[in-house]
């Protein structure tokens, strides 16, 4: 006998929980005399204030009591004064808060929404509403309806409400038409939508599997995926093989014409490049080919230029260098400083405790003593602040150094781009983090004759983005470099640094002092151990705050991944509390006090932009304006719209890659064999060297052994060869009569 389904309608009073798979728990008001708890896979992006019609059954849970188990769900237009007031009070219509909603409904009753649709000037009858506010409400209401229309259209296709918002923002009134007829445009025109999201939409609206547009989009997706893994190109054979699997084609006969058309449209570049099996055809996306070419051209331009340093520098180099604080330079450090000041491009590399920082400090002091100008930068805000504290000279992120003032802005008090244009010495710290695209933007702005010094640890993880710039430059003998290898006495006493050097050489670390490996063979117990160590054991043992402990994971998604561990730590250190505002964005909840980090560059947020890797604390939620405020680590406070929260990650646990360029007092790192693809020597080495006072590795002994004995995966780049050719061309050109 079929189970009888009941229907319940109500207003979402509170979102209690959302799981990654869509399982949701909400409190509904108005469904019965008392609030109803409803559970199940609801509509994605369900928000307080919405009216829902639910079908399902009642059950009594041993722990949570009576609840309504949802089998199906739909949004309905609010009906009745109470429902309309709740809807308007929720902040779903930006600019209307609880007090204004009550005032509007008090005047217009259950005709409110129809009135806003057909005769919005009637809002002027409400106290404190003038023409300007009416216009803003009408605009917000129109946007809400348009987004809702897109949302309803996309609901059956699995797209989230956040994506519906971005589709509407990018495409406006053409959104649904584009989705229906040209869905692969979404990949290029809407941030956050890739091929794997656009393709099911395309299939659902009837685009043929072998359509030319789909094949082109699939080829570009395979190249984009390779770039996300750090590669600058793929061999033509590998590209066609991977695209064949992705697109479900039996052979590549259809794909070759699609690739030819991409080449004709200059979307990709095909070159002959030496590979392990001999010369072969490789395929770059146009942007990657341009970035590699630009890096090679600019390095050759800078490396072959005459020095623009003032004459006073030669006199200083002829004697003893002006070492800060009367200390002495180790011979390798002295050589590094002199190399940097006698060559227009050079590299300083070395492991922890080998004196890179003091070398940079001496280099800056020497240049200043000669009356020359210095620009200092690092890829992350934390690394830039450390560089500034070290040298006593202003340092900034590479992104801010490159950001040009907005045309409409008044002259700012400090324009970092002017500093770059007039610098005699440019030092970039943590240079292993430079991907080829960022390096291309930086080098394009370095003036000819300036001295460029890249400082970094080549044994760390390469950049998150594609390329391996520092390693590729070191592979070319023509680029001057000094590797610092002397471990100073004070550093040699640190078991973190001692073990980091053991790991770098592929040797097993030793438990002592500030370094501990806690073995646990059962992977199911490791997440509990990590959370307990990070939130209870370390804070209790050392009398520290929880925020001094950072969990670093090899990857984002897994039982010991950054997302899941971060959620569990958040539940311990910043749990939900009755009466305290919170906002759910899909399966993530944002609360006041949450530690968050920016995951992409936004040059227009705040006064100076907010860049990838910037961290902060959520300080305020503004439901009526659909905003939350974040106090950034540099002292600024910026606001994020609820439709911008994909730019933020919770930072209770982050990936090792994301931690590059930062240091933390205490670090906890989980390791399991299931993450074998990510377990490499440079990953563990990078994780260990993020800790200043203590690092705790937790996991399976075989996972640690696997990581230490496996070198990092090579990346497909052609920069070394391209740069060799560019240098040869510059030398040949300059030798001509």
């Amino acid at each position: 006998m079929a189970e009888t389904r009941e229907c319940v309608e109500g207003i979402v009073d509170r979102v209690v929980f959302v799981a990654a798979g869509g399982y949701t728990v909400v409190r509904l008001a108005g469904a019965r005399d008392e609030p109803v708890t409803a559970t199940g896979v609801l509509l994605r992006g369900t928000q307080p204030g919405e009216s829902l019609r639910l079908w399902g059954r009642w059950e009594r849970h041993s722990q949570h009591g009576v609840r309504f188990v949802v089998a199906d769900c739909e949004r309905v237009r609010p009906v009745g004064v109470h429902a309309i007031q709740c809807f308007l009070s929720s902040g779903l219509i930006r600019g209307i808060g609880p007090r204004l909603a009550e005032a509007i409904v008090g005047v217009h009753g259950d005709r409110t929404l129809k009135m806003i649709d057909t005769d919005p000037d009637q809002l002027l009858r409400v106290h404190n509403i003038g023409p300007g506010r009416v216009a803003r409400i009408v605009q917000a209401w129109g946007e809400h309806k348009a987004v809702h229309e897109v949302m309803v259209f996309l609901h059956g296709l699995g797209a989230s409400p956040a994506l519906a918002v971005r589709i509407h923002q990018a495409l406006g009134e053409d959104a649904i038409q584009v989705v229906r007829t040209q869905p692969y445009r979404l990949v290029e025109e809407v941030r956050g939508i890739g091929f794997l999201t656009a393709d099911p939409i395309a299939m659902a609206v009837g685009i043929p599997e072998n359509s030319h547009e789909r094949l082109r989009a699939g080829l570009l997706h395979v190249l984009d995926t390779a770039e996300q893994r750090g590669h600058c190109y793929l061999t033509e054979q590998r590209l066609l093989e991977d695209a064949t699997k992705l697109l479900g084609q039996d052979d590549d006969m259809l794909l070759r014409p699609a690739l030819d058309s991409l080449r004709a449209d200059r979307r990709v570049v095909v070159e002959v490049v030496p590979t392990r099996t001999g010369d072969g055809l490789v395929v770059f996306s146009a942007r990657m080919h341009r970035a590699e070419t630009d890096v090679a051209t600019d390095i050759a331009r800078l490396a072959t230029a005459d020095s623009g340093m003032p004459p006073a520098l030669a006199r200083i180099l002829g004697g003893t260098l002006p070492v800060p604080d009367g200390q002495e330079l180790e011979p390798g450090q002295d050589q590094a400083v002199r190399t940097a000041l006698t060559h227009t491009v050079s590299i300083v590399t070395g492991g922890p405790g080998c004196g890179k920082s003091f070398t940079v400090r001496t280099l800056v002091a020497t240049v200043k003593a000669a009356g020359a100008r210095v620009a200092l930068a690092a890829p992350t805000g934390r690394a830039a602040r450390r560089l500034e504290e070290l040298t006593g000279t202003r340092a900034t992120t590479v992104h801010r150094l490159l950001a040009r003032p907005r045309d409409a802005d008044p002259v700012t008090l400090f324009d970092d781009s002017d500093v770059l244009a007039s610098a005699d010495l440019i030092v970039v710290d943590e240079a292993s983090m430079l991907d080829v695209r960022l390096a291309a933007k930086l080098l394009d702005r370095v003036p000819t004759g300036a001295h460029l010094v890249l400082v970094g640890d080549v044994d760390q993880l390469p950049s998150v983005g594609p390329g391996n710039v520092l390693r590729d430059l070191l592979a070319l003998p023509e680029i001057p470099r000094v590797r610092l290898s002397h471990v100073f006495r004070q550093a040699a006493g640190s078991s973190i640094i001692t073990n980091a050097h053991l790991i770098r050489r592929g040797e097993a670390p030793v438990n002592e002092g500030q370094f501990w490996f806690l073995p646990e063979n059962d992977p199911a117990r490791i997440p509990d151990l990590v959370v307990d160590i990070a939130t209870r054991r370390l804070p209790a043992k050392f009398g520290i705050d929880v925020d001094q402990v950072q969990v670093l994971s090899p990857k984002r998604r897994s039982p010991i991944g950054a997302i899941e561990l971060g959620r569990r730590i958040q539940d311990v250190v910043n749990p939900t509390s009755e009466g305290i505002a919170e906002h759910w964005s899909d399966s993530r909840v944002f609360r006041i006090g949450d530690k968050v980090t920016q995951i992409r560059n936004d040059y227009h947020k705040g006064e100076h932009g907010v860049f990838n890797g910037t961290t902060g604390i959520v300080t305020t939620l503004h439901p009526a304006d659909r905003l939350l405020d974040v106090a950034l680590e540099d002292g600024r406070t910026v606001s994020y719209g609820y439709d911008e929260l994909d730019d933020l990650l919770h930072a209770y646990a982050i990936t090792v890659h994301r931690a590059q360029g930062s240091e933390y007092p205490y670090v906890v790192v989980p390791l399991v064999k299931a993450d074998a693809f990510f377990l490499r020597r440079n990953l563990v080495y990078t994780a260990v060297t993020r800790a200043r006072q203590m690092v705790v590795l937790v996991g399976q002994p075989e996972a640690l052994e696997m990581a230490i004995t496996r070198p990092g995966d090579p990346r497909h780049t052609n920069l070394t060869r391209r740069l060799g050719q560019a240098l040869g061309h510059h030398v040949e050109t300059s030798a001509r009569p």
Side-chain angles (χ1 to χ4, degrees):
M1 181 185 235
E3 185 180 76
T4 303
R5 296 204 312 174
E6 294 190 41
C7 180
V8 168
E9 288 192 28
I11 305 161
V12 178
D13 178 58
R14 181 180 166 215
V15 178
V16 178
F17 175 76
V18 184
Y23 175 82
T24 305
V25 181
V26 298
R27 297 285 296 278
L28 288 181
R32 303 175 100 186
D33 293 338
E34 296 182 353
V36 169
T37 299
T39 69
V41 179
L42 305 186
L43 297 170
R44 294 184 68 179
T46 296
Q47 294 290 310
E50 291 186 311
S51 293
L52 299 181
R53 182 177 294 132
L54 311 174
W55 289 268
R57 59 182 174 80
W58 296 98
E59 76 165 20
R60 180 174 293 278
H61 190 275
S62 59
Q63 183 178 354
H64 301 293
V66 176
R67 59 186 190 173
F68 190 73
V69 180
V70 179
D72 202 0
C73 172
E74 69 175 2
R75 289 183 176 92
V76 295
R77 189 180 177 96
V79 176
V81 172
H82 178 65
I84 293 171
Q85 183 172 330
C86 289
F87 172 72
L88 294 178
S89 299
S90 67
L92 289 169
I93 308 303
R94 185 172 296 189
I96 300 181
R99 289 185 180 179
L100 188 56
E102 182 179 5
I104 293 172
V105 174
V107 173
H108 296 287
D110 60 6
R111 296 184 59 257
T112 296
L113 298 183
K114 183 177 181 181
M115 177 272 301
I116 297 175
D117 261 335
T118 60
D119 192 10
D121 285 344
Q122 292 295 319
L123 287 169
L124 293 170
R125 294 169 51 197
V126 180
H127 181 62
N128 279 338
I129 293 186
R133 177 167 276 187
V134 168
R136 290 193 296 272
I137 291 174
V138 170
Q139 180 182 2
W141 173 245
E143 290 175 355
H144 172 79
K145 290 197 302 177
V147 170
H148 182 71
E149 186 180 358
V150 176
M151 201 179 296
V152 170
F153 177 71
L154 293 176
H155 169 62
L157 307 176
S160 73
L163 287 183
V165 170
R166 287 204 292 274
I167 289 172
H168 177 264
Q169 289 174 337
L171 302 173
E173 61 185 19
D174 296 330
I176 291 180
Q177 181 65 17
V178 169
V179 170
R180 283 181 173 146
T181 61
Q182 298 174 287
Y184 294 108
R185 275 181 57 186
L186 301 177
V187 177
E188 310 223 2
E189 298 184 31
V190 184
R191 178 178 56 80
I193 293 187
F195 177 84
L196 297 180
T197 299
D199 196 45
I201 293 174
M203 296 297 96
V205 299
I207 302 297
E209 287 190 3
N210 61 353
S211 69
H212 194 60
E213 293 76 12
R214 181 172 187 259
L215 300 181
R216 283 167 54 103
L219 286 164
L220 291 174
H221 171 73
V222 172
L223 280 178
D224 185 62
T225 300
E227 290 173 18
Q228 292 174 24
R229 293 175 179 169
H231 301 305
C232 293
Y233 67 78
L234 284 179
T235 64
E236 184 185 66
Q237 179 182 355
R238 176 66 182 273
L239 172 61
L240 293 173
E241 288 175 354
D242 288 357
T244 297
K245 294 175 185 176
L246 171 72
L247 299 168
Q249 301 297 312
D250 293 333
D251 55 54
D252 62 9
M253 294 303 294
L254 291 174
L255 283 168
R256 286 190 179 276
L259 179 59
D260 290 341
S261 74
L262 288 172
R263 187 177 182 182
D265 291 343
R266 299 184 179 180
R267 300 293 305 280
V268 302
V269 177
V270 180
E271 283 188 342
V272 177
V273 169
T275 63
R276 296 175 183 176
T277 57
D279 289 354
L281 291 177
V282 304
V283 183
F284 293 80
S285 69
R287 66 176 180 268
M288 289 308 308
H289 184 269
R290 184 167 54 251
E292 262 204 2
T293 301
D294 288 349
V295 169
T297 300
D298 280 320
I299 286 288
R301 167 180 64 85
L302 296 170
T304 56
D306 293 332
S307 172
M309 285 287 184
L313 182 64
R315 294 193 296 271
I316 293 175
L317 291 177
T320 302
L321 297 178
V323 182
D325 301 331
Q327 300 184 43
E328 292 185 4
L329 290 177
E330 186 266 334
Q333 293 176 306
D334 186 88
Q335 180 189 359
V337 173
R338 294 179 185 278
T339 299
L341 296 178
T342 53
H343 296 83
T344 48
V345 175
S346 63
I347 298 172
V348 180
T349 187
C354 292
K356 294 192 301 296
S357 296
F358 191 71
T359 301
V360 170
R361 187 178 173 192
T362 304
L363 174 61
V364 171
T366 303
V367 170
K368 283 185 171 182
R373 293 158 296 190
V374 179
L376 304 177
T380 68
R382 285 175 181 261
R385 283 201 306 278
R386 196 168 65 243
L387 187 59
E388 184 170 317
E389 292 167 359
L390 170 74
T391 61
T393 302
R394 180 181 170 86
T396 184
T397 63
V398 174
H399 297 97
R400 184 175 294 179
L401 195 67
L402 299 176
R404 300 180 187 274
R406 297 178 222 169
D407 293 339
D409 282 356
V411 176
T412 57
L413 293 176
F414 192 93
D415 182 0
D416 291 305
S417 61
D418 286 346
V419 172
L420 181 60
S422 61
D424 299 301
L425 172 71
I426 299 163
V427 179
V428 181
D429 199 9
E430 299 287 356
S432 63
M433 297 178 64
L434 287 178
D435 64 61
V436 70
R437 289 179 296 208
L438 182 58
K441 292 177 183 177
L442 171 65
L443 294 168
D444 177 61
R445 301 278 294 280
V446 175
T448 303
H451 286 232
L452 174 68
V453 183
L454 302 178
V455 182
D457 186 347
V458 74
D459 294 310
Q460 286 188 25
L461 283 168
S463 57
V464 176
N468 204 344
V469 174
L470 187 63
R471 186 172 290 276
D472 285 348
L473 294 182
L474 286 169
L476 198 69
E478 290 87 342
I479 302 296
R481 85 288 309 276
V482 174
R483 177 161 192 144
L484 303 176
S485 57
H486 175 78
V487 180
F488 287 85
R489 183 186 307 171
Q490 61 271 30
S494 165
S495 54
I496 294 176
I497 291 178
T498 300
N499 278 298
H501 284 284
L502 288 173
I503 291 168
R504 181 180 62 82
R505 296 194 296 267
E507 301 175 26
V510 178
N511 270 359
E512 61 177 1
Q514 304 144 303
F515 181 100
W516 288 95
F517 173 62
L518 181 62
E520 174 52 63
N521 285 307
D522 183 359
R525 294 196 63 233
I526 292 173
D528 291 334
L529 275 173
V530 170
V531 173
D532 188 48
I533 290 168
T535 64
R536 187 183 65 84
R537 295 192 197 182
L538 285 176
K541 182 175 179 61
F542 296 102
I544 60 173
D545 292 332
V546 173
D547 60 10
Q548 290 186 268
V549 183
Q550 183 62 59
V551 173
L552 304 181
S553 176
K555 59 189 292 190
R556 284 187 64 194
R557 300 182 187 278
S558 80
I560 59 106
I563 293 176
E564 177 61 17
L565 288 177
R567 183 190 65 77
R568 295 180 61 163
I569 294 171
Q570 180 192 31
D571 287 344
V572 173
V573 303
N574 195 23
T576 186
S577 179
E578 196 71 34
I580 302 299
E582 60 183 30
H583 175 73
W584 284 87
S585 178
D586 285 339
S587 60
R588 301 179 302 145
V589 59
F590 290 86
R591 303 180 181 120
I592 294 173
D594 276 341
K595 183 164 65 169
V596 293
T597 182
Q598 175 87 4
I599 63 170
R600 57 177 58 87
N601 299 325
D602 186 339
Y603 294 91
H604 302 298
K605 182 166 289 296
E607 184 179 357
H608 301 296
V610 181
F611 302 109
N612 187 3
T614 302
T615 62
I617 301 294
V618 177
T619 56
T620 317
L621 293 171
H622 305 280
D625 295 318
R626 299 186 64 73
L627 296 170
L628 61 80
D629 294 335
V630 176
L632 302 179
E633 56 191 344
D634 62 7
R636 294 180 295 148
T637 295
V638 297
S639 296
Y640 289 80
Y642 285 176
D643 57 352
E644 297 178 307
L645 295 182
D646 282 356
D647 288 352
L648 288 178
L649 286 181
H650 288 84
Y652 296 106
I654 60 176
T655 62
V656 178
H657 241 136
R658 187 160 291 284
Q660 276 187 276
S662 298
E663 289 184 343
Y664 311 93
Y666 298 82
V667 167
V668 183
V669 186
L671 298 170
V672 296
K673 291 187 293 182
D675 290 341
F677 179 82
F678 295 87
L679 296 180
R680 294 291 188 272
R681 184 183 306 153
N682 54 5
L683 180 136
V684 178
Y685 174 78
T686 302
V688 167
T689 54
R690 298 311 90 204
R692 289 196 302 268
Q693 294 174 240
M694 174 164 282
V695 60
V696 181
L697 307 183
V698 184
Q700 297 169 292
E702 289 179 61
L704 177 60
E705 181 182 1
M706 181 186 301
I708 292 172
T709 56
R710 299 165 75 193
D713 285 333
R715 292 185 166 189
H716 302 326
T717 72
N718 195 36
L719 179 58
T720 300
R721 178 172 173 268
R722 208 182 297 280
L723 179 55
Q725 294 172 338
L727 283 169
H729 174 73
H730 268 264
V731 171
E732 178 185 334
T733 301
S734 63
R736 290 175 183 169

